[in-house]
Structure formats: C-alpha cells, structure tokens
Amino acid sequence: GEARGVRVRYRGGKTQVLRAGAVVSNASTWDTQKLLPESARSGWAEEKTDFAACPSFMHLHAGIDASLLPSTPEMHHIWVGDWKKGVTSPQNCVLTSIASVVDPSLAPEGKHVIHAYTPGNEPYELWKGLKRGTKEYEDLKRERSEVLWDAVSQALGVDARELCEVSMVGTPLTHQRFLRRSMGTYGPAHKAGETLPFPSTNIKNLLCTGDSTFPGIGLPAVGASGMIAANTLTSVSNHLEMLEKIGL
C-alpha cells in the first residue's frame, strides 16, 4: 500500500480527506496501527509493534503556599523506597520537580508549582476496564496517588497536603485518553542491542516519529526521530543545497 493522505473526522461527525505526498505519524506505533485500514495492519504488527511497552505512570500536579515552607527546597528530588526492588517496581520510585524554585514566574508570588510522577512503574492492568468518574476509579486514584504525596512531602520537609491549594492527579487512563498512548504506556521498552524500527515503514510514504522509533523516552527521542523523518523525505541533493545556503 501507499500513504496518500489522512482522513480527518471532526467533532461534529464531518469527515475530510487531506491529501499529501507523504504522511508522518507522531502517534506511537501501537496507536498508528489502529488508524490504518484493516488491509494494512498485518505486516505492520510484525514490523513496528514487536517489542515490549513500559508500564504506565501516575502524575501529581500541585500548587502550594510557599510561605509556609520551613526552607527553600531544591528543584529536583528522587525518592526510591527500596533500591533492591529497582526503580521499575510498582510505586517504588517517584520523581519530583519544583520548577518555580529556579523560575518564580511559573507560579504566583509566594507559591510553588510541583510536578511528581512514578516513572513507568504503574501497572495498567490495575486500571483496565475502569470508567473515569466512577467511585471505584476515584478510590483507586486516591489510593495510588498517596505515594506521590508522601514523596513530595519528604522533598518539602512538611506535609504537602496541608500546603496544597490546587492539585490534579493523572492516571494511566488519563494518559491513554489525553496523550493517545496505548495502555497509557510510559513508552517502548527498547533494550540495548535490539533492532529499532526507525521512521521508515512497510507502507510507502508513511513514516513514524517519536519514542517508538528511536531509543529513549520523551523530547530527545521525539526530536531526533523527527529530524530523521524530515531527512528521509528529501533528496541528498537537497541536503547539499541547504548546507551550501547556510555556509557549511
């Protein structure tokens, strides 16, 4: 097959076909597969999704009253419950960032913004089948976010709950919905020595970017894979012409 554009479905139900010489998907390879016609999915499964996915993660975003802190905290903190279990053990590692410590403009005067999360160690299986907004979901969200509050409290040296003025908790279902991540995954679990998919696919003129195609999770993988995809779409002569223009 060959990619010649995308079919867009708008909120009101209207659809539109946008045609192009090539299509670049920034969705994960698992989620891109779901967007393909049925006839194009079989070969894709073997080529692009034949690797493990990391578990999901819990998030806490909070705004606190900094005037009640015993001292000014550091910006970054890592909490590990038991080093013998490893950082991938469920609820055993929390990363906390208080960016307003170094950039006060990120929060109102006298306040701090806090972001804490469990880096890829929250099992999606605990959340599978739950419906957001139900009592069962809210109870589990409260239970599974306790480790985040405890880690933030250790970073601040005081109970973060008492200082908190606004908070938002994200779950695997949050990431699955808003980030369009299959199973709310933290990202692909590429291992050293494994062959990576990279942007090219078995479908002509369809390329993929993101951490499904390049080692690492987050912006570095996205940026590097995006550059590779862009370079793949243009000829060597165009590369040379551009290098001449910028004096290299």
Side-chain angles (χ1 to χ4, degrees):
E2 179 178 354
R4 297 179 180 177
V6 296
R7 184 184 301 276
V8 180
R9 184 176 68 251
Y10 296 100
R11 183 173 296 176
K14 179 184 175 183
T15 63
Q16 181 182 5
V17 175
L18 303 177
R19 300 196 178 279
V23 175
V24 180
S25 173
N26 67 346
S28 74
T29 57
W30 300 289
D31 294 290
T32 300
Q33 182 183 21
K34 299 173 186 176
L35 300 174
L36 297 174
E38 290 286 349
S39 58
R41 294 184 184 182
S42 57
W44 182 276
E46 297 173 5
E47 179 194 19
K48 306 295 288 184
T49 61
D50 189 22
F51 50 83
C54 292
S56 190
F57 49 137
M58 295 289 297
H59 275 272
L60 169 63
H61 294 272
I64 66 166
D65 185 348
S67 67
L68 300 177
L69 291 172
S71 60
T72 301
E74 298 292 332
M75 181 172 69
H76 291 307
H77 304 260
I78 300 178
W79 172 86
V80 178
D82 184 346
W83 281 104
K84 293 180 180 179
K85 293 181 179 179
V87 295
T88 58
S89 180
Q91 303 255 294
N92 195 49
C93 180
V94 175
L95 305 185
T96 299
S97 176
I98 313 172
S100 51
V101 168
V102 296
D103 185 356
S105 69
L106 296 175
E109 185 176 354
K111 314 294 182 181
H112 275 317
V113 290
I114 297 174
H115 174 217
Y117 66 101
T118 56
N121 60 31
E122 180 67 9
Y124 177 78
E125 292 73 20
L126 295 175
W127 303 85
K128 186 176 181 180
L130 292 181
K131 290 186 178 180
R132 293 177 304 102
T134 62
K135 183 179 185 303
E136 186 181 9
Y137 173 78
E138 294 298 330
D139 287 347
L140 185 60
K141 183 165 71 169
R142 193 159 32 250
E143 174 191 333
R144 300 297 289 182
S145 64
E146 281 299 306
V147 68
L148 299 173
W149 286 108
D150 291 343
V152 170
S153 296
Q154 287 195 35
L156 298 177
V158 65
D159 190 343
R161 301 167 186 80
E162 296 181 359
L163 308 186
C164 184
E165 297 183 356
V166 60
S167 67
M168 294 179 289
V169 173
T171 73
L173 299 190
T174 310
H175 308 309
Q176 184 177 39
R177 181 189 185 200
F178 291 101
L179 303 183
R180 301 296 187 189
R181 299 284 273 187
S182 177
M183 300 182 295
T185 180
Y186 189 65
H190 293 309
K191 295 181 181 178
E194 287 184 346
T195 300
L196 297 171
F198 290 110
S200 297
T201 73
N202 64 339
I203 299 174
K204 186 178 179 181
N205 295 332
L206 173 62
L207 293 91
C208 288
T209 60
D211 56 14
S212 300
T213 66
F214 197 87
I217 291 172
L219 290 177
V222 171
S225 65
M227 288 192 296
I228 294 174
N231 288 334
T232 302
L233 288 171
T234 188
S235 66
V236 174
S237 60
N238 283 343
H239 290 180
L240 295 174
E241 184 181 345
M242 184 177 294
L243 289 174
E244 271 189 38
K245 286 182 178 179
I246 62 177
L248 293 177

